[in-house]
Amino acid sequence: MDVRLESLRFLIRDRDSKYAESFDAVFEAEGIETVRTAPRAPRMDAHCEKVIGTPRHELLDHVLIWNDTHPRHVLDVYARHHNGHRPHQAREQRPPLTDSRTTPLTDSSTPRRLLQTHVLGSLINEYRHAA
């Protein structure tokens, strides 16, 4: 069993009819409790939809997956970009894994050169100030 699966205790899902009883039974057999969202509450799983939708729209809709290991590699690279470089509005344009404040790229007080890094074959571009 995958180590990450062992740490799961709950599966939160909506009440869509596409989830048959056998779906819940698979998780129950692994000791994972299935919790369904409230009826007629479409915004209740908005955070989950955002977590799934962002990489799908920004990445997976533009990548042709070649084999079983390719999606894990692509998602790992995207996660490093998303958590270590991509600005987040809720964190004052800082990535989640940084503690120090970063200088905004729009700071025009001193002209500096930007360095561009291509990620995933130029699907994503990262920019940093040159030293």
Side-chain angles (χ1 to χ4, degrees):
M1 179 183 284
D2 191 292
V3 174
R4 288 182 260 181
L5 183 61
E6 290 175 353
S7 66
L8 298 178
R9 294 179 35 212
F10 302 99
L11 169 70
I12 301 173
R13 68 167 182 84
D14 60 19
R15 296 175 175 266
D16 197 316
S17 61
K18 67 183 170 192
Y19 299 114
E21 288 181 27
S22 59
F23 181 85
D24 292 341
V26 169
F27 290 96
E28 186 178 333
E30 295 295 332
I32 299 171
E33 181 182 347
T34 301
V35 179
R36 293 185 290 169
T37 58
R40 299 179 185 248
R43 295 186 188 161
M44 195 167 184
D45 61 348
H47 292 287
C48 183
E49 295 289 337
K50 177 73 172 168
V51 168
I52 293 169
T54 299
R56 179 178 173 206
H57 298 302
E58 292 182 4
L59 179 68
L60 296 175
D61 285 350
H62 306 283
V63 174
L64 179 62
I65 301 298
W66 291 100
N67 57 34
D68 293 343
T69 59
H70 190 224
R72 183 175 303 276
H73 168 73
V74 168
L75 290 171
D76 285 346
V77 170
Y78 180 80
R80 281 195 304 274
H81 163 75
H82 184 82
N83 294 319
H85 183 79
R86 184 172 186 243
H88 292 254
Q89 287 182 352
R91 293 192 32 86
E92 299 174 355
Q93 301 304 334
R94 291 178 289 140
L97 296 181
T98 58
D99 291 328
S100 62
R101 294 199 177 271
T102 56
T103 307
L105 293 178
T106 57
D107 181 21
S108 61
S109 60
T110 57
R112 294 192 281 177
R113 210 180 75 175
L114 289 177
L115 298 176
Q116 179 183 19
T117 303
H118 300 289
V119 179
L120 291 172
S122 297
L123 185 60
I124 299 170
N125 293 300
E126 295 179 349
Y127 300 93
R128 288 181 170 52
H129 289 290

